Amino acid sequence: MALTAFTGPVVSADASGARRGGRIALLLLLPGIAYLLLFFLAPLVSLVITSLQTPSETVFGQYDFTFNWQNYGEVIGTYSEQILRSFLYALLATVFALLFSYPLAYFIGVVMRRWPLVQSLLLILVVAPFFISFLLRTLAWKQILSDEGPVVSTLKALALLGPQDHITGTPIAVVFGLTYNFIPFMCLPLYTTLERLDMRLIEAGRDLYAGPATTFRTVTLPLSMPGIVSGTLLTFIPAAGDYVNASSQFLGGTSSTMIGNVIQSNFLVQLNYPAAAALSILLMAIILVLVGVYVRRSGTEDLL
């Protein structure tokens, strides 16, 4: 009886403390939940509703909600070329950014460990482009790659380009712009992973008579896979929806427009809000599917 009388209040106090802790945790989460509901869920629902509208028969520029699912089929049939081009450009930019960023991140995170000051300076140089506007950087490359710029002039002088050839307004310029602008998004996650790489594992590979290529393939590359997956996602997702580099005002032209340019045109120029909303939903859905498949295939499901 004494034991029962003693343990009863203790259990009750523990339960009361757990409920109190749950309420406090909920109160702390409320600002974040409200933010997500207001700035993510509400715009998403509005976008879905807009994508199902049809033009009003009485008022020009006004749209009525009619569950018009045909909008999705129409934009796929009309803009399938731009959709495929967007993902192709994003894929190429991601691959090129990875090929450039991996050696750079390895050099900064592994080779330069013994010189912390130099390592910090190199990191600053990687991050430095973020201090300049995305638009200004892209516009600067438009001037550099223009027909009167140093790059085209040099290539023409070396007979690598014809007199009428140019770089701006071509797919090459768009992919180059995407690669350049998103390299920091690839390099920083790779550096974060490689900087924590245990060098004893690489030394163990050497002790087991594995060559540099074998050690890299069996030790370094698998251990850096989380950084690779994070970097490729941070690069591919914004690159697929980019509309600056492919714009004719910057590096692109009429033959290299991406889905972001089509969405911008439908929203701001043609005022075709349902088509623009349907394209936005399609872009998001395709990216979600691709990301899910990619993460599962890479064996890093914990990143989702």
Side-chain angles (χ1 to χ4, degrees):
M1 294 295 294
L3 180 61
T4 303
F6 176 75
T7 57
V10 173
V11 174
S12 177
D14 290 343
S16 176
R19 287 195 296 270
R20 190 183 308 111
R23 288 194 295 268
I24 294 175
L26 180 60
L27 288 175
L28 293 175
L29 288 174
L30 279 179
I33 295 174
Y35 179 88
L36 290 176
L37 291 175
L38 183 62
F39 294 104
F40 177 76
L41 185 60
L44 180 61
V45 172
S46 176
L47 197 65
V48 172
I49 293 174
T50 303
S51 69
L52 300 175
Q53 293 178 342
T54 54
S56 174
E57 297 180 357
T58 57
V59 182
F60 176 77
Q62 182 175 333
Y63 295 88
D64 300 324
F65 181 68
T66 58
F67 278 102
N68 186 20
W69 294 99
Q70 288 79 7
N71 287 336
Y72 289 90
E74 291 177 1
V75 296
I76 291 175
T78 305
Y79 302 113
S80 58
E81 181 181 353
Q82 286 83 355
I83 295 174
L84 293 175
R85 184 185 298 134
S86 298
F87 288 105
L88 175 61
Y89 287 178
L91 178 62
L92 291 174
T94 302
V95 172
F96 291 143
L98 177 61
L99 293 177
F100 181 86
S101 299
Y102 198 100
L104 178 61
Y106 186 89
F107 178 77
I108 298 175
V110 177
V111 178
M112 301 305 295
R113 284 185 186 179
R114 65 188 71 180
W115 296 290
L117 291 178
V118 180
Q119 187 181 47
S120 301
L121 176 61
L122 292 175
L123 277 178
I124 292 174
L125 293 177
V126 172
V127 180
F130 283 115
F131 294 97
I132 304 174
S133 169
F134 184 93
L135 297 177
L136 290 179
R137 284 184 277 131
T138 309
L139 189 61
W141 275 110
K142 180 182 179 180
Q143 299 298 322
I144 295 173
L145 299 176
S146 65
D147 295 343
E148 298 80 16
V151 176
V152 174
S153 301
T154 303
L155 293 176
K156 287 183 177 180
L158 297 174
L160 298 177
L161 285 180
Q164 304 301 324
D165 293 336
H166 52 271
I167 296 180
T168 54
T170 64
I172 295 176
V174 176
V175 174
F176 173 84
L178 292 172
T179 303
Y180 164 76
N181 281 304
F182 292 111
I183 276 180
F185 292 91
M186 179 71 76
C187 187
L188 292 179
L190 286 171
Y191 163 78
T192 302
T193 301
L194 292 171
E195 198 272 337
R196 298 196 302 264
L197 183 65
D198 191 349
M199 299 303 297
R200 292 175 298 181
L201 298 176
I202 299 179
E203 294 175 358
R206 295 171 182 169
D207 293 340
L208 294 173
Y209 303 101
T214 303
T215 302
F216 174 80
R217 179 173 53 83
T218 58
V219 179
T220 307
L221 188 61
L223 292 176
S224 61
M225 188 57 66
I228 294 175
V229 173
S230 299
T232 51
L233 292 180
L234 290 174
T235 302
F236 179 83
I237 294 175
D242 181 78
Y243 65 92
V244 174
N245 291 277
S247 172
S248 58
Q249 299 176 348
F250 292 92
L251 298 176
T254 56
S255 61
S256 57
T257 54
M258 299 171 62
I259 189 172
N261 305 107
V262 176
I263 294 173
Q264 179 195 30
S265 176
N266 277 281
F267 258 126
L268 302 180
V269 180
Q270 304 177 32
L271 303 182
N272 189 353
Y273 303 126
L279 281 170
S280 302
I281 295 295
L282 281 173
L283 176 64
M284 182 175 60
I286 294 172
I287 287 177
L288 285 175
V289 172
L290 293 177
V291 167
V293 173
Y294 172 66
V295 170
R296 290 187 179 278
R297 293 283 294 179
S298 62
T300 53
E301 292 88 346
D302 55 322
L303 293 176
L304 288 177

